């Protein structure tokens, strides 16, 4: 019997050389989060269906959430679709001291059509600030994202920002479209701008029967996204709307408090797909190297209230690391350099007492040196060196007949090919240096 | 609308003070794994149902696996029940250089009745050695487990070991029970020995209609588990069976190569529930502090062959950290000492320029000092100090009117209550020291 060896479609295995790199990338992102005073929490992979229902979008709810019943339960469950709705539930449950700043790095699940860079199980790295309505919190989230980009030395990136309140006001008040589902459809269509271009967006909008005048206005609105930040701000300040004024003040604060003001671009065509956003929204794109959209998020001042019963403002950002890692590997920014955490491997021949070899390994391990010991002696030292080399282990500690007779050890650096005659106690200094 | 705020039954949220402790415990376990030359891999949470089916036990398959279909798919899936079957699939898929030593720390899912220390989602920390049939590999797994116990300074622990081949030979050859399902039932009954005691085990065995003579032999066999290692080995060596001889040699090697021989006890009544074990099995119990069973595993030489088509021996061990953490907290071995990774919090009053505060924070963060900045100035310095204190932040950097006027900063250690007048550049030295 030979069984199917692939994971389900859209799911992945990570061999050690991938996993070691991924762990390093996660650790670097985590360090940025911690620098800003965010602390970790964890929530389950499985949530009650009721927790997830009605929070995302119709499309998510009807096609994308991993939703199921078990044979032994009449309850409905879902695998978490993001880390934000679980956070909102968490806040209601634990009522932490506000403002509450948490980060979370973990898997989320979407029933997507798998394609390059898009999976059914993928990792999000999220920071959120709960209980703070000041645009300073928005600015902090943006700065964390900037710092992550700087951490990986990206040269050319843009953080597009917008505000849902601007969109809502312009559509409702100035275009007279009060039907939320139509507004959502318009949002979703505009959201495709980057992917399908302006002409196709206008064609799709036409199908919504909005009328010639409204269409023209949306077009000019889309065109406004080409303007400079200062021009857009002036354009927005011309609207007689308190909501828009507040939103514009927020955008100005974000620009003012940003670590990299020149990287931030107000983009009125940015809408983002999830229903729960209420204020500032952003999306971050890395143009050099060409990686694409790496991070998105925004303000969701109503989501937590669904769970707590009273309104608690919140803002957050999510870094999708799959594209960072996939594209980074392809572009050579990241290399699968380490196949192993082992620093030393012991090469010994068949005539050497295995007990002695284990004692040497124990000593090295007690000195915090990760040590790989083959379970059998090699026929020839060279076989052992080749084996360790293939495993990516940098140092071979050779224990052959000669070494046993002379009571000395040989340490070989498998990269430089240098050999040293060493005492056991000296090894730490050499392999760590 | 106020929604239900609990995760599903048997699932847990981890607030920062739990999560920080958990991360530390995982990191310490991981370090032990790495010392022995194990490297990480990752596999999906979701597996195809076919991958999981038939690998564990009837009970697992029919009652315990999180098995489901989605509304949009006719395929059956399961959440991973352990990390071992996914490893076997992984080996078949990637065909890595053998012996292959991997560790994996991750969640697994079982539809259990939740109770203290037993959850529907919990974490396993596994090491496995694939492609090595030598009992030295078994010994290495046991030594890793020993080192984890030593890492946490457990004083009194026992590693019970047995071998499935001994059980099979004695039941099949010497008791004449060839029906595998009866043998499994006997195993499962004996497996309850620790929980329900010998009398009840004998009563349950009676229900299997094994006959008086067989029952007597099983009883004497159970009684043999009280003997010393040396006596049991002599008892086993009296059987005329090659299988038993090989198994006994293995147990002797494990004792011989163990770092803590005095902690290892051969226990013939140990059976372990999963179907895939074929050789050495072990279970590790911590008696002081009274934590109970913390680790189990064994040899599974046939499992990987189901996926690869050819036999590849393997042995592994799993540390269930839930009990370690739950009991450890209760017993005071672990403390939720850290609520936050933030080292410094900035206390500033309303008249201080927030821009200036953010500059200070940026400087500290650039020096790798995790810094928490409130989004609003406090009315009084004392309010800020109280706030940071509640958040568990050790150092308050005070930027009040006085500090702004004099161009100096005040740093207060919130534990010792000491105050220092400092230059920005000196802070790193103080908070790190």
């Amino acid at each position: 019997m030979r069984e199917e060896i692939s994971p389900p479609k859209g799911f992945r295995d990570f061999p050690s050389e991938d996993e070691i790199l991924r762990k390093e990338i996660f650790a670097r992102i985590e360090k940025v989060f911690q620098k800003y005073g965010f602390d970790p929490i964890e929530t389950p992979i499985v949530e009650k269906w009721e927790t997830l229902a009605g929070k995302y979008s119709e499309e998510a709810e009807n096609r994308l959430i991993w939703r199921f019943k078990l044979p032994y339960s009449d309850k409905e469950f879902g695998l978490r679709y993001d880390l934000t709705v679980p956070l909102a539930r968490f806040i209601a449950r634990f009522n932490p001291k506000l403002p509450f700043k948490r980060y979370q790095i973990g898997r989320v699940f979407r029933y997507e059509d798998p394609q390059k860079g898009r999976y059914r199980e993928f990792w999000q790295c999220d920071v959120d600030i709960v209980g703070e309505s000041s645009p300073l919190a928005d600015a902090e989230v943006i700065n964390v994202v900037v710092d992550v980009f700087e951490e990986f030395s990206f040269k050319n990136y843009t953080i597009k920002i917008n505000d849902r309140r601007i969109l809502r006001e312009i559509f409702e008040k100035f275009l007279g479209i009060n039907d939320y589902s139509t507004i959502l459809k318009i949002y979703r269509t505009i959201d495709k701008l980057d992917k399908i271009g302006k002409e196709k967006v206008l064609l799709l909008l036409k199908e919504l029967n909005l009328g010639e005048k409204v269409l023209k206005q949306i077009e000019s609105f889309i065109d406004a996204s080409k303007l400079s930040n200062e021009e857009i701000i002036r354009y927005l300040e011309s609207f007689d709307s308190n909501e828009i004024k507040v939103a514009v003040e927020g955008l100005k604060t974000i620009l003012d408090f940003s670590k990299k003001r020149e990287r931030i671009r107000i983009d009125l065509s940015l809408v983002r797909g999830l229903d729960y956003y209420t204020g500032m929204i952003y999306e971050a794109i890395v143009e050099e190297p060409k990686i694409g959209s790496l991070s998105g998020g925004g303000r969701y001042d109503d989501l937590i209230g669904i769970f707590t019963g009273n309104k608690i403002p919140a803002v957050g950002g999510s870094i999708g690391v799959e594209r960072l890692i996939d594209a980074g590997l392809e572009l050579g920014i990241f290399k699968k350099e380490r196949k192993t955490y082992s620093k030393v491997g012991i090469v010994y021949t068949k005539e050497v007492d295995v007990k002695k070899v284990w004692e040497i390994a124990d000593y090295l391990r007690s000195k915090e040196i990760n040590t790989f010991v083959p379970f059998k002696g090699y026929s020839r030292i060279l076989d052992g060196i080749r084996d360790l080399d293939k495993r990516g282990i940098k140092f071979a500690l050779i224990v052959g007949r000669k070494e046993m007779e002379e009571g000395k050890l040989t340490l070989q650096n498998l990269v430089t090919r240098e050999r040293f005659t060493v005492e056991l106690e000296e090894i730490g200094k050499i392999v760590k240096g």
Side-chain angles (χ1 to χ4, degrees), chain A:
Chain A
M1 166 165 56
R2 189 179 192 282
E3 300 205 357
E4 163 70 276
I5 58 176
S6 305
K9 200 168 129 186
F11 288 79
R12 288 166 295 164
D13 294 312
F14 299 101
S16 298
E17 58 197 280
D18 294 75
E19 187 59 14
I20 287 174
L21 175 68
R22 287 171 62 88
K23 282 166 81 78
E24 188 206 316
I25 290 171
F26 287 138
R28 287 167 70 182
I29 292 173
E30 194 173 1
K31 223 173 106 194
V32 173
F33 292 173
Q34 290 174 357
K35 268 200 315 188
Y36 278 83
F38 291 84
D39 283 308
I41 68 161
E42 191 50 273
T43 61
I45 291 291
V46 177
E47 292 280 358
K48 294 173 183 165
W49 169 248
E50 309 86 84
T51 299
L52 305 177
K55 310 300 187 305
Y56 299 103
S57 69
E58 268 181 60
E59 189 197 15
E61 183 147 340
N62 297 330
R63 288 206 310 120
L64 299 177
I65 299 181
W66 281 71
R67 170 183 182 175
F68 59 86
K69 274 188 191 180
L70 298 180
Y72 355 99
S73 171
D74 53 4
K75 296 198 168 58
E76 264 198 299
F77 301 98
L79 303 187
R80 64 187 182 197
Y81 182 83
D82 67 6
L83 303 172
T84 310
V85 170
L87 169 66
R89 185 186 56 64
F90 178 98
I91 296 293
R93 183 169 177 214
F94 291 96
N95 190 24
K97 188 157 181 41
L98 303 182
F100 177 68
K101 294 167 61 172
R102 84 90 178 78
Y103 74 84
Q104 195 172 351
I105 295 178
R107 315 172 195 237
V108 300
F109 300 83
R110 300 189 182 177
Y111 194 75
E112 302 259 18
D113 284 329
Q115 47 179 267
K116 203 175 142 63
R118 188 187 285 176
Y119 304 99
R120 289 181 169 178
E121 177 185 52
F122 60 96
W123 273 254
Q124 286 191 330
C125 305
D126 279 20
V127 284
D128 289 84
I129 299 167
V130 175
E132 183 55 61
S133 56
S134 161
L136 285 178
D138 306 20
E140 189 167 85
V141 168
I142 300 289
N143 278 342
V144 171
V145 174
V146 165
D147 260 20
V148 169
F149 288 169
E150 296 288 324
E151 168 69 27
F152 293 106
S153 303
F154 293 137
K155 293 280 168 293
N156 218 332
Y157 56 87
T158 304
I159 296 175
K160 300 197 258 178
I161 56 172
N162 195 8
D163 196 300
R164 277 273 176 102
R165 289 168 294 187
I166 295 170
L167 293 170
R168 205 170 45 222
E169 278 288 284
I170 291 183
F171 283 102
E172 287 181 16
K173 201 158 161 186
F174 297 95
L175 299 184
I177 305 168
N178 285 306
D179 169 27
Y180 185 64
S181 82
T182 306
I183 293 179
L184 268 184
K185 277 178 199 154
I186 297 173
Y187 281 4
R188 299 267 159 69
T189 311
I190 298 177
D191 203 21
K192 298 192 169 92
L193 197 63
D194 276 352
K195 280 187 204 144
I196 64 175
K198 184 178 152 187
E199 296 313 310
K200 281 195 184 144
V201 164
L202 291 177
L203 274 175
L204 287 173
L205 285 171
K206 230 175 200 153
E207 289 170 18
L208 298 176
N209 296 318
L210 301 168
E212 204 52 43
K213 194 181 142 221
V214 170
L215 265 183
K216 271 274 163 268
Q217 283 175 297
I218 297 180
E219 189 178 348
S220 75
F221 176 74
I222 290 176
D223 288 339
S225 50
K226 300 270 184 302
L227 303 174
S228 74
N229 287 344
E230 291 68 27
E231 288 167 326
I232 293 175
I233 287 172
R234 270 202 301 278
Y235 164 73
L236 292 172
E237 283 176 340
S238 72
F239 285 92
D240 177 25
S241 153
N242 198 44
E243 280 273 284
I244 291 182
K245 277 194 180 39
V246 170
V248 169
E249 282 313 303
L251 295 177
K252 282 157 83 173
T253 300
I254 292 169
L255 287 169
D256 195 27
F257 276 80
S258 167
K259 290 182 95 165
K260 293 267 171 183
R261 190 180 176 140
E262 70 279 13
R263 295 258 147 257
I264 300 181
R265 205 162 63 71
I266 302 174
D267 182 343
L268 296 181
S269 72
L270 178 72
V271 293
R272 296 194 60 73
L274 298 176
D275 285 354
Y276 54 58
Y277 292 119
T278 54
M280 183 279 291
I281 46 179
Y282 83 89
E283 191 163 307
I285 285 158
V286 178
E287 283 145 22
E288 192 194 319
K290 282 240 162 293
I291 286 183
S293 172
L294 269 198
S295 175
R299 187 164 271 289
Y300 48 99
D301 285 348
D302 296 335
L303 178 63
I304 296 174
I306 298 176
F307 293 97
T308 54
N310 56 342
K311 192 163 165 162
I312 296 179
V315 59
S318 182
I319 292 162
V321 288
E322 317 307 312
R323 197 172 287 170
L324 175 75
I325 296 172
D326 286 3
L329 279 169
E330 205 171 296
L331 295 161
I333 330 170
F334 300 131
K335 290 202 186 73
K336 296 183 193 175
E337 278 164 320
R338 283 182 88 174
K339 285 178 170 175
T340 177
Y341 287 123
S342 291
K343 261 282 160 83
V344 173
I346 302 184
V347 174
Y348 62 102
T349 48
K350 292 188 187 300
E351 63 265 32
V352 173
D353 179 12
V354 182
K355 262 270 165 78
K356 179 75 194 156
V357 171
W358 279 45
E359 275 165 28
I360 293 171
D362 272 347
Y363 174 81
L364 294 175
R365 289 167 184 156
S366 76
K367 299 295 172 196
E368 310 295 326
I369 300 165
N370 301 337
T371 305
F372 178 89
V373 180
F375 294 99
K376 289 178 194 72
Y378 296 96
S379 302
R380 299 179 311 157
I381 296 291
L382 192 62
D383 296 337
I385 286 177
R386 282 193 185 133
D387 180 35
L388 297 187
D389 214 13
K390 276 189 199 138
R391 291 174 181 277
I393 298 172
K394 189 169 168 193
F395 288 96
L397 181 64
I398 298 164
V399 190
R401 192 190 309 173
K402 177 170 142 279
E403 282 79 11
M404 293 307 282
E405 277 164 7
E406 297 173 7
K408 292 219 165 152
L409 301 166
T410 305
L411 187 72
Q412 178 160 357
N413 181 323
L414 299 183
V415 179
T416 63
R417 299 283 146 186
E418 283 173 290
R419 278 196 176 202
F420 316 86
T421 300
V422 292
E423 302 286 337
L424 190 53
E425 294 73 20
E426 300 171 307
I427 294 173
K429 222 170 47 204
I430 301 170
V431 304
K432 279 177 187 168

